Amino acid sequence: EYLRSAQLGVHPLSTGVMNHQIALPNKLFEYLHAGLPIVTSDNRAMAEFVNQTKVGEVFADEDPVKLASAIRLVLEDHAKYIQAIVTSNVLNDYNWDRQVEVLVDLYRDILPDTEIGTEPIVVGDLSEGERFTESGILVVADAPVHIGIGPRNSAGQAWAWARALERERPNNVIAESFAIPSTRHNFTVDTTIPLLSWKSIWWQLNQAQRVTQTYTHVLLESYLGVLGTLNGGLFDQDLPFLRAQGVHAAIVFHGSDIRDPDRHIELVACSPFVETDPLFDELRKSVSRVREQLPSDVPIFFSTPDLANFLPRGEWLPIVVDSDTWPRTNAIFESTIPTVLHAPTSGPLKGSAFVDDVAGRLDAKGLLRYNRLSGVSTTEMAEAIQAADVVVDGLVLGAYGVTAIEAMLCGKLVVGNVSLLAGSKAEGAPIVQADPDTLEAVLVDICASPEKYVEIASAGREYALRFHSGSYSAQVLAGFIDNGA
């Protein structure tokens, strides 16, 4: 960490000792692995190494003027030397993973009749093509396609899409999810990238080399890049590098990262964006910036179906939900007083104030039991959905979310605003339409005549399995892989 805080490494080893002329000191490679260009004295071995790899500059020993000149040269064109560290392959050649092969080969030559293995593989630091299954068994795969998906892992979708791809194409795809950890949620992911690493030049340089040597494709979330903040942090800033390395890239959006608030106001009468809110102003700025920079020749996907209204040339990549976690349970409306659940991830964007008002008043009248949840675990959410008859997912955005999918898998009646799904592949979602103006009438009718809604609820699981079990999403991603391979 101390070395990474610098911009370059100086190694002024004296030339007056014969052994120094043939030395490549450890510190030289520690500098490089910390992402530091090198300024070294003109000892023969180090000078040849630096000049050949172009990872720094050489100065005449005991000449402070030439030392200062070499340092200025590196600082004035710092990016050039950083790029040389990546392209010269020194990080790949001079590390233990590579040198252990040399050492083991040497022992095999010396002891030809002795069985000599390599180091055991450590969980969490697997070689390419290797993964431990949930049962702890190491599997080794060889595939022509290696796709990285991240770095948001919103709602655990990067991981879910990766697993869906590997299930559908077990012999020709290795999929890896990666993510910067969220302060709000902790979803399963293959590789977690600490925020300090994301901003570290050392990690960025190693990531650039890994992307070059490993990935054939990347699917990047919410317009973020794959190389940390090396080029700025955004998709369009990393795209030239990816193209130069022959890596096929696509973008996937999840919702607020591309949903234009002003366009939403035009489309939805009850749009929450009519309210004055600093968050909405920030969304306007970020969405505007993304739309201006959106490449015209890169595949675009979106996970929330209403985004078809905001990304006309995009393709729906449905959210994947594990159906085993959300099994169909007891029949609905067995009690004369139905239980209505509302568990929003974001109250303002789900119209929770309207739901609380309407369902709260109907609860007070004894027409229903209202269960309001927020910030609960997956287990608690599953128990709440299984105990409910009706799940109100959202009233103001115009599309359904993860909670609605979970409820449909459990065979519950879902109520929500799906007005923006008209004309999309998700148009037939078995969800009872309601908005802030109609919610009370809808809930009153459900309480009075629940039998009218049983068929809609029973169709929910089949719909969710068709679009949200992973198979459909894997087919969509296979199109990207096949067209870009």
Side-chain angles (χ1 to χ4, degrees):
E1 291 302 319
Y2 176 73
L3 292 182
R4 292 173 200 168
S5 67
Q7 289 183 279
L8 62 85
V10 180
H11 207 306
L13 192 64
S14 170
T15 59
V17 181
M18 181 58 68
N19 189 53
H20 290 182
Q21 296 294 333
I22 61 172
L24 287 177
N26 286 349
K27 187 61 65 182
L28 179 73
F29 300 103
E30 291 169 356
Y31 283 156
L32 290 171
H33 278 276
L36 306 184
I38 306 298
V39 172
T40 180
S41 57
D42 54 350
N43 281 289
R44 178 169 54 83
M46 282 201 291
E48 289 178 357
F49 177 87
V50 169
N51 287 330
Q52 288 173 3
T53 59
K54 303 185 186 309
V55 296
E57 293 292 336
V58 177
F59 68 94
D61 183 34
E62 298 187 354
D63 189 331
V65 174
K66 291 186 177 178
L67 168 58
S69 177
I71 291 175
R72 287 196 186 98
L73 196 60
V74 172
L75 293 178
E76 287 170 358
D77 202 0
H78 196 253
K80 180 183 77 171
Y81 297 95
I82 293 293
Q83 184 66 20
I85 294 175
V86 176
T87 58
S88 65
N89 224 32
V90 294
L91 300 183
N92 187 56
D93 291 339
Y94 296 98
N95 65 73
W96 176 244
D97 292 336
R98 174 69 184 90
Q99 296 304 318
V100 69
E101 299 172 4
V102 178
L103 187 60
V104 169
D105 287 343
L106 172 63
Y107 281 125
R108 285 173 177 156
D109 288 342
I110 297 172
L111 304 170
D113 298 326
T114 304
E115 182 177 348
I116 300 172
T118 57
E119 287 189 324
I121 296 172
V122 180
V123 179
D125 189 22
L126 304 180
S127 302
E128 299 307 329
E130 299 173 335
R131 176 173 289 117
F132 278 91
T133 64
E134 292 180 359
S135 60
I137 300 173
L138 177 65
V139 294
V140 180
D142 183 19
V145 174
H146 193 140
I147 182 171
I149 307 175
R152 281 295 188 208
N153 196 35
S154 295
Q157 289 308 297
W159 187 86
W161 288 326
R163 300 291 77 76
L165 259 178
E166 290 184 334
R167 284 196 303 271
E168 294 296 316
R169 293 198 165 193
N171 298 321
N172 74 333
V173 173
I174 296 172
E176 175 191 359
S177 59
F178 58 94
I180 309 166
S182 169
T183 56
R184 295 177 57 193
H185 303 288
N186 185 26
F187 296 105
T188 302
V189 69
D190 293 311
T191 302
T192 299
I193 304 168
L195 187 57
L196 285 176
S197 295
W198 186 255
K199 296 179 179 181
S200 162
I201 187 67
W202 175 85
W203 180 87
Q204 292 162 2
L205 293 173
N206 280 277
Q207 175 74 345
Q209 194 168 61
R210 186 172 187 276
V211 168
T212 298
Q213 297 174 353
T214 303
Y215 292 148
T216 58
H217 298 72
V218 291
L219 176 63
L220 301 178
E221 299 176 283
S222 302
Y223 214 73
L224 291 179
V226 69
L227 302 179
T229 57
L230 181 65
N231 298 316
L234 299 180
F235 177 93
D236 60 290
Q237 295 166 329
D238 282 352
L239 189 56
F241 170 84
L242 295 171
R243 283 174 168 162
Q245 302 303 323
V247 179
H248 302 282
I251 316 169
V252 60
F253 294 99
H254 291 289
S256 297
D257 46 9
I258 197 63
R259 188 184 289 112
D260 180 12
D262 294 324
R263 172 66 174 155
H264 194 270
I265 291 171
E266 296 174 1
L267 296 172
V268 181
C270 57
S271 172
F273 301 116
V274 297
E275 301 293 333
T276 301
D277 190 313
L279 171 62
F280 297 162
D281 291 336
E282 288 301 316
L283 288 178
R284 286 182 172 88
K285 293 177 184 177
S286 62
V287 168
S288 176
R289 193 268 177 205
V290 168
R291 297 188 71 85
E292 288 174 359
Q293 302 297 329
L294 202 59
S296 61
D297 57 347
V298 171
I300 297 175
F301 301 98
F302 50 84
S303 63
T304 309
D306 70 298
L307 295 182
N309 296 275
F310 304 90
L311 290 166
R313 72 176 185 87
E315 184 174 2
W316 186 32
L317 177 62
I319 291 167
V320 175
V321 175
D322 181 11
S323 58
D324 292 337
T325 305
W326 308 92
R328 188 191 296 274
T329 52
N330 54 299
I332 59 174
F333 301 128
E334 291 187 323
S335 172
T336 55
I337 301 178
T339 297
V340 175
L341 171 68
H342 181 56
T345 52
S346 173
L349 295 181
K350 291 290 186 176
S352 296
F354 300 107
V355 182
D356 291 342
D357 174 51
V358 171
R361 285 190 287 103
L362 296 180
D363 182 291
K365 293 180 179 179
L367 293 179
L368 55 82
R369 298 185 188 91
Y370 181 44
N371 186 13
R372 172 68 146 84
L373 295 177
S374 64
V376 298
S377 67
T378 300
T379 300
E380 292 171 312
M381 177 67 82
E383 292 174 351
I385 289 178
Q386 289 162 3
D389 299 292
V390 180
V391 175
V392 181
D393 184 37
L395 297 180
V396 294
L397 284 184
Y400 63 86
V402 174
T403 302
I405 300 169
E406 295 165 349
M408 284 190 283
L409 285 170
C410 292
K412 306 303 178 178
L413 181 66
V414 179
V415 175
N417 188 341
V418 289
S419 59
L420 288 185
L421 302 189
S424 73
K425 293 179 181 178
E427 183 176 10
I431 294 174
V432 179
Q433 169 65 28
D435 58 34
D437 293 331
T438 62
L439 177 62
E440 183 165 0
V442 168
L443 289 180
V444 168
D445 192 57
I446 291 172
C447 293
S449 306
E451 69 280 357
K452 296 193 310 185
Y453 297 91
V454 172
E455 186 175 348
I456 298 174
S458 64
R461 185 169 178 84
E462 181 181 350
Y463 174 90
L465 290 174
R466 176 188 176 192
F467 286 111
H468 299 288
S469 64
S471 179
Y472 187 95
S473 299
Q475 292 174 25
V476 173
L477 288 176
F480 160 53
I481 290 171
D482 294 339
N483 292 333

